[in-house]
Amino acid sequence: MTAEIFSLDHQIVFYETDQTRQLTAGMLVNLFMLASQEQSNHLDLTAQKVQSMNLGWVVTQHLVTINRLPKLGEKVVIKTQAQNYNRFFCHRYFWLENQTGELLAKMHSVFVLIDQKKRKLTKVLPELVAPYGSVYTNKIEHLSEPKKPNIQPTYPAKTYRVRFMDLDGNHHVNNVHYFDWLIDAMPREFLLTHHLKAVNIRYKHEVYYGQLITSQVSVTDLGQQLISYHQILTQDLENCRAECHWEKMTTLIK
Amino acid sequence: MTAEIFSLDHQIVFYETDQTRQLTAGMLVNLFMLASQEQSNHLDLTAQKVQSMNLGWVVTQHLVTINRLPKLGEKVVIKTQAQNYNRFFCHRYFWLENQTGELLAKMHSVFVLIDQKKRKLTKVLPELVAPYGSVYTNKIEHLSEPKKPNIQPTYPAKTYRVRFMDLDGNHHVNNVHYFDWLIDAMPREFLLTHHLKAVNIRYKHEVYYGQLITSQVSVTDLGQQLISYHQILTQDLENCRAECHWEKMTTLIK
């Protein structure tokens, strides 16, 4: 049995792009999450229904691969499939294609169910995953852990206060907002001269309203390719760790 | 002669809402701006075309009135009309309606043309406004100036660093991002117990990449209605001033 692939059409609008007129990394993940939410609505397994059971779906890891970020006005197709699950982890795949079926980006994500009151992991309920055609497995894929940044940061660390609009229905910072903290840790000159090609992001501890987070980064230059190693910290607690792969541009974005 | 009204259909998605599952104020303005951009594209007067003339449209003031913010999943119609202009100022109207034509929100905005290199105001070019049906007038409406906050702030001021993703094609912070700074200046408890009913926001000086801004607010409680007076400052420079009208909720958002 194979899980159903759910598709959604979308056209990139200006507030999903940055000054390069390309979709931002955070918005790419928003579009993927939108497809999974639309599938949930379609199956009448809405976020509200899950919340009414005192549960919530939480992302623990995303593996993003980018061939090319779509441009302002471009028409795209977002696809998703709830692949498989074990006692605690659910694996879901996402694809972003253009209208001719060219793969622009993909993502492999791990979700867990949390008890909203205890803020603790709870066992996956088969009735919350079976409708997607997700398959139970004893041999779930293990995704690699992003490496820690060097003690010596490449760029000065930046701090951000969690804002009201960063929170989601789980009353913590939505997984997508971390992308802005990672990306903005890189200087503008870097962002205007490099393409983001891959992100491995691992969420470790929730971040709450009003907290101050620090976004740290160290960069390893491998010639044409560069790797940035990131940490999101609240004081000494590591809330999130990520690894981003970048490619030097041959032509500059205006 | 009356300017054409341009319409756009849209359905509210999760990343346009906050934890109240309602459209955020910033996203309301994004949707309005989207309609005006779509009209520009429709008339082949794209932002790129204006940029290629070394010009850019910049907002100097928005007057927003909100009856009700639409909910997640709600289908809406965004309408806009380029009303009239004089030598320097262009006035545009926006409306947000639900599918039965109920008015949810409206906005009256003032745009100016700037010279991208000199960063200075330039005269409105008739060829950039006539295609919208906008009418030249000697008697342009004068919008009231928001009042200054009290010297004694009601809540502690908050600082924000301008991020890469806050910038737009004019290489300054996009007018919409100021709404997040205004709204987040209010504590969460306030935002969960009050409806935003109106915003008068006046942009005075551009904010650039990497700058630290301070968001200050003082609140006057008039019983069922409250008014918050806001300033966005970079050091001693007043970049923006705004006045927000709020109504106490009779039922709490969960």
Side-chain angles (χ1 to χ4, degrees), chain B:
Chain B
M1 192 180 141
T2 315
E4 188 204 352
I5 295 182
F6 184 87
S7 286
L8 190 71
D9 291 330
H10 183 76
Q11 185 168 12
I12 308 300
V13 299
F14 83 92
Y15 55 85
E16 295 164 356
T17 67
D18 59 26
Q19 60 173 299
T20 69
R21 296 186 194 284
Q22 287 179 336
L23 187 70
T24 66
M27 275 295 175
L28 170 67
V29 181
N30 265 336
L31 292 184
F32 284 145
M33 302 308 261
L34 177 62
S36 94
Q37 288 204 5
E38 289 295 315
Q39 186 182 25
S40 298
N41 296 345
H42 181 69
L43 295 169
D44 201 23
L45 284 169
T46 60
Q48 286 98 314
K49 193 169 244 180
V50 176
Q51 266 184 14
S52 72
M53 299 166 76
N54 186 37
L55 298 171
W57 285 113
V58 168
V59 174
T60 62
Q61 191 161 4
H62 290 307
L63 276 190
V64 186
T65 312
I66 299 166
N67 292 330
R68 169 174 81 71
L69 287 165
K71 293 185 199 111
L72 175 61
E74 198 166 344
K75 287 179 180 169
V76 293
V77 183
I78 315 152
K79 293 183 177 174
T80 186
Q81 183 184 37
Q83 183 75 4
N84 53 25
Y85 68 102
N86 66 8
R87 280 179 73 209
F88 290 107
F89 299 98
C90 297
H91 284 238
R92 187 181 263 279
Y93 291 132
F94 301 89
W95 301 269
L96 186 76
E97 297 177 356
N98 72 2
Q99 284 207 303
T100 63
E102 179 198 343
L103 181 70
L104 303 180
K106 61 179 183 175
M107 183 164 82
H108 178 170
S109 302
V110 183
F111 289 78
V112 293
L113 262 184
I114 58 156
D115 181 303
Q116 292 274 17
K117 281 191 195 123
K118 296 185 195 154
R119 307 307 286 177
K120 274 196 172 168
L121 206 66
T122 179
K123 269 190 232 168
V124 174
L125 295 179
E127 62 264 39
L128 291 184
V129 288
Y132 299 91
S134 183
V135 183
Y136 182 85
T137 178
N138 280 318
K139 295 173 186 169
I140 205 118
E141 197 178 337
H142 181 75
L143 304 189
S144 69
E145 179 91 353
K147 281 192 205 130
K148 254 191 172 175
N150 288 337
I151 295 167
Q152 188 61 47
T154 306
Y155 303 115
K158 289 183 177 173
T159 58
Y160 302 89
R161 180 185 287 102
V162 174
R163 309 173 306 172
F164 180 76
M165 47 290 292
D166 296 331
L167 306 174
D168 65 18
N170 285 326
H171 305 289
H172 63 196
V173 175
N174 184 275
N175 67 86
V176 173
H177 290 281
Y178 290 70
F179 281 81
D180 288 347
W181 294 335
L182 300 181
I183 302 292
D184 192 50
M186 312 302 286
R188 176 170 55 172
E189 296 63 36
F190 185 95
L191 296 172
L192 291 174
T193 51
H194 295 81
H195 290 299
L196 181 62
K197 301 304 286 178
V199 182
N200 178 1
I201 183 167
R202 179 86 170 76
Y203 302 91
K204 290 167 177 264
H205 291 280
E206 300 176 293
V207 180
Y208 303 109
Y209 177 70
Q211 283 194 300
L212 272 179
I213 71 95
T214 304
S215 180
Q216 289 189 339
V217 62
S218 77
V219 180
T220 302
D221 192 336
L222 304 168
Q224 191 55 28
Q225 279 262 353
L226 297 97
I227 306 175
S228 55
Y229 300 96
H230 300 257
Q231 267 183 321
I232 304 296
L233 305 161
T234 44
Q235 293 169 323
D236 288 337
L237 183 68
E238 185 184 48
N239 297 84
C240 171
R241 194 189 289 185
E243 205 179 301
C244 300
H245 291 238
W246 305 84
E247 196 175 80
K248 284 178 190 159
M249 281 181 200
T250 45
T251 53
L252 204 67
I253 293 171
K254 273 181 196 160

Side-chain angles (χ1 to χ4, degrees), chain A residues 23-82:
Chain A
L23 187 69
T24 66
M27 275 295 175
L28 171 67
V29 181
N30 266 337
L31 292 183
F32 284 144
M33 301 311 260
L34 177 63
S36 94
Q37 287 202 7
E38 289 295 315
Q39 186 182 25
S40 297
N41 296 345
H42 181 69
L43 294 169
D44 200 24
L45 285 169
T46 59
Q48 285 98 315
K49 193 170 243 180
V50 175
Q51 266 186 13
S52 72
M53 298 166 77
N54 186 36
L55 298 171
W57 284 114
V58 169
V59 173
T60 61
Q61 193 161 2
H62 290 307
L63 276 189
V64 185
T65 311
I66 299 167
N67 294 330
R68 171 174 80 73
L69 286 167
K71 292 185 200 112
L72 176 60
E74 198 167 343
K75 287 180 179 169
V76 293
V77 183
I78 316 152
K79 293 182 177 176
T80 186
Q81 183 184 36

Side-chain angles (χ1 to χ4, degrees), chain A residues 54-56 113-122:
Chain A
N54 186 36
L55 298 171
L113 263 184
I114 58 155
D115 181 303
Q116 292 273 19
K117 280 192 196 123
K118 295 184 196 156
R119 306 307 288 177
K120 274 196 170 168
L121 205 67
T122 179

